[in-house]
Amino acid sequence: MNNKKVVSFLPYIAVIGILLLLISSRFTSNAKSFTYNEFLNKADKIEFKSAEMSMGTTVIDISGTYMEKGKEVGFMVSVPNTESNVETLTKTFQKNKKMKLVVNDPNRENFLMSFLMNILPFIFIAGIAFFMFSKMNAGGNNKAFEFSKSKARMEGNIKVRFKDVAGCDEEKEEVKEIIDYLKDPKRFTDMGARIPKGMLMVGPPGTGKTLLAKAVAGEADVPFFSISGSDFVEMFVGTGASRVRDMFKKAAQAAPCIVFIDEIDAVGRQRGAGMGGGNDEREQTLNQLLVEMDGMGENKGIVIIAATNRPDVLDPALLRSGRFDRQITVNLPDKRGRYEILKVHARNKKLAADVNLENLAKRTPGFSGADLENVLNEGAILAVRGKRKIITLDDLDEAIDRVMMGPAKKSKKYSDKEKRLVAYHEAGHAVIGLKLESADNVEKVTIIPRGEAGGYNMMIPGEEKMFPTKADFMGQITGLMGGRVAEEVIFDEISAGASNDIQKATKIAKAMVRSWGMSSLGPIQYDDGTGNVFLGRDYSSGSNYSGEIAYEIDKEIRKIINECHEQAKQIILENKDLLTLIADTLVEEETITSEQIMNLMNYGTLDNPNEEKKQTIEKLEADATDVFETERVEEQTAANELAESELDEALKELTKDDFHDEN
């Protein structure tokens, strides 16, 4: 048994032991107990010292002491309450005039002791029953009286500040007026202004929505209630609505405060879109949330902040003015934002001197704040695993690969044929990146397996754009086709290794035709624009175009893919020697960097010969400088020695002349 469980039972064991001791002390004594006949036979022969008679209705309880062999001994006896017995006992005890006789009325006994002795067994049994039931409820987690209580957790004295939230400067500007309102609401009410009751933060996972909400509470120095949307809904009808009421009641008591509801789409989905009818528990919870938000007074000081990455499924009533008045989009950070985020998370990291966070930010497009934090954390773990005192650039490079693709499977061995196939596949992507201007730049190529991929090619955009053009998308698709085309050209065969490339290319082509109007079908949107499918809403809705248009869409998608495939094939055929050179290098080295790839393209080797010449010249110049300095020092030393010797000779001559003059 666990020691903690034993310790938890000790108070109960102690109480039970004390109770048993009290009960036993009540009924056990060292006094000698006589029977009625024994007492009558010995009464005349005993020298009594004291006696106490308790006159009951039918029985007389007698206790006292008598002398036996020079010692005082206690006795107890019960005799029938008759007139003859009373007279006999009175005469017996009165024979010794020094004896102390006390006659008690049983109706005047200690009422408290009598009450305790009568009621104590029942209290004891009730306590055991309560203890057993409480343990059963705790073990089964059946807290019946807590179903309707809110699960919102209140945090006070929040330490997070705006300086801890990087990469979202515009979003911080949007929420600053909320902070001013929570600090001094009178300024706004005097002006007749109404601060939004609710703010909805929308953005991909890991972009810092929760952290930003905490920073608002930290800057305003107000309590912070946090709860998830799924915490409202239970299997019991009415529980969610009751929890909503309880949450707003607690928030009103702690006002001014911030209530943060994470993943609000779990409870705020559109009503009437459920597969099992509209009157379910979730919709009742949503109705109560709508009522509570609309019923908040102007000066209650409660600000609701919610977060979701699926705003398209939220009920329109939740987004109307007076509820979630303001919608703040927290997007993935750009290069500068990633650099600021890395600086925040690198505060407690011991980085090597050659680690440049700006370069690291450049190499991680599309990473969220959580991904960047994970990169630095993985780098620190790798440094500890390698027993290093600092986090090196190699650690961070491996960490980026781990976050993107998973750990390297170095134990997985290719056959020679498979290794060449993967090398040419990845080299095909690299050649397209090098030779096609609109394609993404090649940052790193490896044939070490990671995750489901046999190798991968890290390609980053040359410039991060808010509005990519059709040429940009065509360049991306062409780059994705490079590996497949290289297999066709070199091996006259295709493998399943390009499945992920084909999936990405098809997705881009579909979006070009259906969403962005980048085809001959014109600037018409043929999808619903809601992104992910919401089954309850989209199950019964048909497409908004005819079957003929669907056929045309398929033709346009195929046309885009075929054009990019042919362009990739042309580039590969024109640069077949470069393709073979990169593939052969990959077979030998397994991983090559962007700088090495550029050297292969420009000089045919991994190293830059001009750089080697430059280093050689610099070394020769440094050696020549050292020789010149050495010769100069030697000449100066020789001149100094000559001057010293001439000075010594002059002094000797002078001394000799002075000696002759004295003579």
Side-chain angles (χ1 to χ4, degrees):
M1 182 181 289
N2 194 343
N3 292 332
K4 292 183 177 179
K5 293 184 177 180
V6 175
V7 173
S8 65
F9 280 111
L10 287 178
Y12 300 102
I13 296 174
V15 171
I16 293 172
I18 293 171
L19 292 176
L20 292 177
L21 183 62
L22 291 174
I23 294 173
S24 63
S25 66
R26 176 72 174 84
F27 293 103
T28 57
S29 175
N30 294 326
K32 186 175 182 180
S33 179
F34 289 114
T35 64
Y36 173 60
N37 293 328
E38 287 177 343
F39 182 75
L40 290 179
N41 293 332
K42 295 182 179 181
D44 294 335
K45 303 175 183 178
I46 294 176
E47 181 183 356
F48 294 99
K49 298 293 293 181
S50 65
E52 183 176 344
M53 297 173 58
S54 181
M55 308 297 290
T57 305
T58 57
V59 178
I60 303 174
D61 293 324
I62 307 170
S63 62
T65 59
Y66 67 94
M67 300 301 296
E68 183 179 9
K69 296 180 182 180
K71 294 182 179 179
E72 192 171 337
V73 182
F75 73 94
M76 295 176 60
V77 64
S78 296
V79 300
N81 188 354
T82 62
E83 292 184 4
S84 59
N85 284 340
V86 172
E87 292 178 2
T88 303
L89 291 172
T90 302
K91 291 179 181 179
T92 302
F93 291 141
Q94 288 179 349
K95 286 193 303 183
N96 186 355
K97 296 182 179 180
K98 294 183 179 180
M99 175 186 160
K100 183 180 180 182
L101 177 63
V102 179
V103 179
N104 293 327
D105 185 355
N107 295 325
R108 294 184 178 179
E109 288 185 353
N110 190 331
F111 176 75
L112 181 59
M113 283 299 297
S114 177
F115 173 77
L116 287 177
M117 295 312 300
N118 289 323
I119 203 68
L120 197 58
F122 297 101
I123 295 176
F124 180 66
I125 294 172
I128 293 178
F130 178 77
F131 173 76
M132 296 297 293
F133 279 114
S134 64
K135 284 296 181 183
M136 290 173 61
N137 289 335
N141 199 23
N142 298 321
K143 300 181 180 180
F145 296 103
E146 296 185 7
F147 280 152
S148 61
K149 298 296 183 183
S150 170
K151 292 186 178 182
R153 297 169 294 277
M154 188 183 80
E155 299 179 43
N157 194 20
I158 302 293
K159 302 296 184 183
V160 182
R161 297 292 186 270
F162 276 166
K163 65 181 180 180
D164 302 313
V165 185
C168 50
D169 296 336
E170 293 79 9
E171 290 81 358
K172 288 190 283 189
E173 289 294 331
E174 286 288 325
V175 298
K176 278 185 178 179
E177 59 196 24
I178 299 295
I179 298 172
D180 296 336
Y181 167 72
L182 291 172
K183 287 184 175 180
D184 188 10
K186 191 173 183 301
R187 289 174 49 204
F188 293 86
T189 55
D190 290 346
M191 190 61 66
R194 180 183 64 80
I195 288 298
K197 294 181 181 179
M199 288 190 304
L200 182 65
M201 293 188 179
V202 179
T207 50
K209 299 183 289 295
T210 303
L211 188 65
L212 182 58
K214 274 194 173 183
V216 174
E219 292 287 345
D221 194 20
V222 295
F224 181 78
F225 290 85
S226 61
I227 190 171
S228 173
S230 60
D231 288 335
F232 290 110
V233 182
E234 290 281 357
M235 62 179 291
F236 301 100
V237 177
T239 302
S242 180
R243 287 178 177 175
V244 171
R245 289 191 294 269
D246 186 64
M247 181 185 70
F248 278 91
K249 180 181 178 181
K250 291 180 179 178
Q253 294 171 353
C257 65
I258 289 176
V259 177
F260 177 70
I261 306 175
D262 197 11
E263 305 298 343
I264 194 173
D265 53 278
V267 71
R269 294 197 302 270
Q270 294 179 14
R271 290 168 291 180
M275 297 296 291
N279 189 24
D280 61 1
E281 168 65 6
R282 182 190 56 77
E283 292 194 359
Q284 292 186 32
T285 307
L286 174 58
N287 292 337
Q288 188 63 45
L289 180 62
L290 296 174
V291 171
E292 292 290 342
M293 289 192 68
D294 196 38
M296 283 192 300
E298 296 293 336
N299 298 318
K300 276 194 174 181
I302 304 174
V303 175
I304 309 294
I305 300 179
T308 182
N309 52 15
R310 289 294 308 274
D312 56 294
V313 304
L314 295 180
D315 194 278
L318 200 61
L319 304 177
R320 75 155 174 83
S321 298
R323 290 188 177 124
F324 284 107
D325 306 78
R326 185 171 298 177
Q327 184 169 317
I328 300 175
T329 302
V330 186
N331 284 318
L332 292 172
D334 57 7
K335 178 183 174 183
R336 189 179 67 84
R338 294 194 297 273
Y339 172 60
E340 296 296 330
I341 292 172
L342 288 170
K343 285 201 301 184
V344 170
H345 293 298
R347 290 173 182 169
N348 61 339
K349 303 290 192 300
K350 297 178 181 179
L351 301 178
D354 61 341
V355 173
N356 189 324
L357 295 182
E358 287 193 58
N359 292 337
L360 200 64
K362 181 181 178 181
R363 293 180 54 197
T364 51
F367 277 45
S368 66
D371 293 331
L372 295 171
E373 189 276 335
N374 196 18
V375 166
L376 291 177
N377 185 61
E378 286 288 343
I381 292 174
L382 291 171
V384 173
R385 188 183 299 174
K387 297 181 180 180
R388 291 181 288 276
K389 299 294 184 182
I390 56 176
I391 303 172
T392 64
L393 191 60
D394 292 336
D395 293 330
L396 295 175
D397 184 65
E398 174 65 19
I400 292 175
D401 294 341
R402 281 172 170 264
V403 172
M404 292 180 63
M405 305 292 295
K409 298 180 179 178
K410 296 183 179 180
S411 61
K412 184 177 179 180
K413 298 298 182 183
Y414 289 122
S415 65
D416 292 338
K417 184 177 179 180
E418 285 180 326
K419 192 171 185 178
R420 289 187 70 245
L421 177 68
V422 175
Y424 272 100
H425 181 100
E426 301 302 334
H429 291 302
V431 169
I432 301 297
L434 291 171
K435 295 300 182 178
L436 184 61
E437 184 178 353
S438 59
D440 293 340
N441 297 333
V442 181
E443 183 67 25
K444 177 182 177 181
V445 184
T446 180
I447 58 173
I448 298 175
R450 288 182 183 272
E452 297 296 327
Y456 87 99
N457 198 314
M458 181 187 289
M459 303 182 74
I460 61 175
E463 180 184 0
E464 295 185 34
K465 299 179 179 179
M466 289 188 62
F467 303 106
T469 63
K470 181 180 179 180
D472 295 328
F473 291 123
M474 295 291 284
Q476 289 181 25
I477 297 175
T478 304
L480 291 169
M481 292 290 107
R484 168 74 171 246
V485 170
E487 294 178 16
E488 295 174 359
V489 170
I490 300 300
F491 301 100
D492 195 21
E493 184 62 275
I494 55 176
S495 70
S499 60
N500 189 44
D501 299 330
I502 295 173
Q503 180 183 359
K504 291 179 179 178
T506 306
K507 183 178 179 181
I508 296 172
K510 279 185 177 180
M512 290 175 65
V513 176
R514 300 177 60 192
S515 301
W516 303 323
M518 295 180 179
S519 70
S520 61
L521 294 179
I524 303 174
Q525 188 178 54
Y526 291 106
D527 63 357
D528 53 11
T530 57
N532 296 327
V533 174
F534 178 29
L535 185 61
R537 179 192 62 204
D538 300 332
Y539 176 73
S540 59
S541 63
S543 61
N544 55 359
Y545 48 84
S546 64
E548 289 80 3
I549 294 298
Y551 175 68
E552 294 294 330
I553 290 173
D554 292 340
K555 285 177 59 178
E556 290 296 324
I557 293 172
R558 190 180 302 111
K559 179 182 177 182
I560 290 174
I561 297 294
N562 289 338
E563 286 181 5
C564 294
H565 182 273
E566 289 301 320
Q567 186 180 16
K569 189 171 184 178
Q570 182 181 354
I571 295 173
I572 292 293
L573 289 173
E574 293 174 356
N575 299 274
K576 196 172 180 179
D577 294 339
L578 178 60
L579 175 72
T580 302
L581 178 60
I582 295 175
D584 292 342
T585 306
L586 277 173
V587 171
E588 295 178 5
E589 302 292 334
E590 291 189 338
T591 301
I592 53 179
T593 63
S594 60
E595 183 179 357
Q596 292 173 328
I597 292 173
M598 294 301 297
N599 290 337
L600 287 174
M601 184 178 69
N602 295 327
Y603 311 111
T605 60
L606 288 175
D607 299 322
N608 186 349
N610 294 332
E611 188 67 25
E612 293 181 359
K613 290 179 181 178
K614 181 179 178 182
Q615 292 177 357
T616 303
I617 293 172
E618 290 178 352
K619 185 176 185 303
L620 291 174
E621 290 178 349
D623 294 341
T625 301
D626 293 339
V627 171
F628 175 75
E629 289 292 335
T630 302
E631 292 177 351
R632 189 166 64 84
V633 170
E634 291 177 352
E635 290 177 358
Q636 186 66 35
T637 304
N640 292 339
E641 291 176 353
L642 180 61
E644 289 178 0
S645 62
E646 291 178 350
L647 180 62
D648 291 339
E649 291 295 331
L651 290 173
K652 289 179 181 178
E653 290 296 331
L654 181 62
T655 304
K656 187 184 296 183
D657 292 340
D658 292 341
F659 177 74
H660 289 306
D661 291 340
E662 289 177 0
N663 292 334

